[in-house]
Amino acid sequence: MKSFTVQFHKEDQVDKMTVIKLNEEDFQLATKDGTRHLFELDTNIGFFVYFDAVDSKGKESYLVLHYEEESEEPSGCYSFELKDFYQFAALHLNDLEYNEEEVEKEDPEEEYGPIHHLAHLMYHIIEEGKKVEEE
């Protein structure tokens, strides 16, 4: 288990975020008493699965699995504080509403919406996570 801090661009309007990268053993311990799949995100940098979990002591974790390309095995598992994970969920939900509005327009354009912002944040997290592996 390795902790790292992600600094975002000023225009991202997100405070720095502390992230924990879990190894296989950490993942097994964090999910011992079950998981709850919440949503997914498919991007050009990979596929993300967002879920929460409970360990054997009842401690909750807010996790994201990252899969690269067509890999069956995740390339990384990241744990977030609830406030940060909530922001991810809010962006995902906002995108559902955003897409409904786009469908109503006659000429929907590919604008930078909430889901694009979520993918951008995940890009920064993944890049910082790679640096942790190299240390």
Side-chain angles (χ1 to χ4, degrees), residues 8 16 51 63 65 72 91 96 101 103 113 118 125 130:
F8 297 98
K16 66 182 177 180
F51 63 102
L63 306 170
L65 286 175
E72 296 278 328
L91 286 168
L96 297 175
E101 292 171 6
V103 168
L118 177 55
I125 292 164
K130 287 178 182 176

Side-chain angles (χ1 to χ4, degrees), residues 19-134:
V19 181
I20 299 172
K21 188 163 187 177
L22 284 70
N23 61 31
E24 179 77 28
E25 183 181 337
D26 298 328
F27 176 80
Q28 294 301 327
L29 291 172
T31 60
K32 183 93 172 152
D33 272 5
T35 63
R36 181 173 54 173
H37 177 268
L38 299 171
F39 62 95
E40 300 169 352
L41 176 64
D42 194 3
T43 72
N44 61 346
I45 60 165
F47 184 75
F48 298 90
V49 178
Y50 297 76
F51 63 102
D52 56 16
V54 179
D55 70 10
S56 61
K57 297 176 184 172
K59 181 180 180 256
E60 295 177 349
S61 296
Y62 309 96
L63 306 170
V64 176
L65 286 175
H66 174 232
Y67 294 85
E68 292 179 341
E69 298 173 15
E70 300 297 319
S71 177
E72 296 278 328
E73 294 294 318
S75 57
C77 181
Y78 302 89
S79 177
F80 298 89
E81 294 178 23
L82 178 58
K83 68 179 182 60
D84 298 324
F85 194 81
Y86 179 84
Q87 185 167 7
F88 300 154
L91 286 168
H92 176 72
L93 290 171
N94 284 340
D95 190 66
L96 297 175
E97 184 177 311
Y98 180 82
N99 280 332
E100 283 178 14
E101 292 171 6
E102 285 297 308
V103 168
E104 292 173 7
K105 291 181 181 179
E106 286 185 25
D107 185 23
E109 296 178 15
E110 184 68 28
E111 294 180 26
Y112 186 83
I115 209 74
H116 299 103
H117 190 60
L118 177 55
H120 178 76
L121 298 179
M122 295 312 300
Y123 169 79
H124 285 297
I125 292 164
I126 297 306
E127 288 302 306
E128 286 298 317
K130 287 178 182 176
K131 292 177 187 175
V132 169
E133 290 175 9
E134 296 167 0

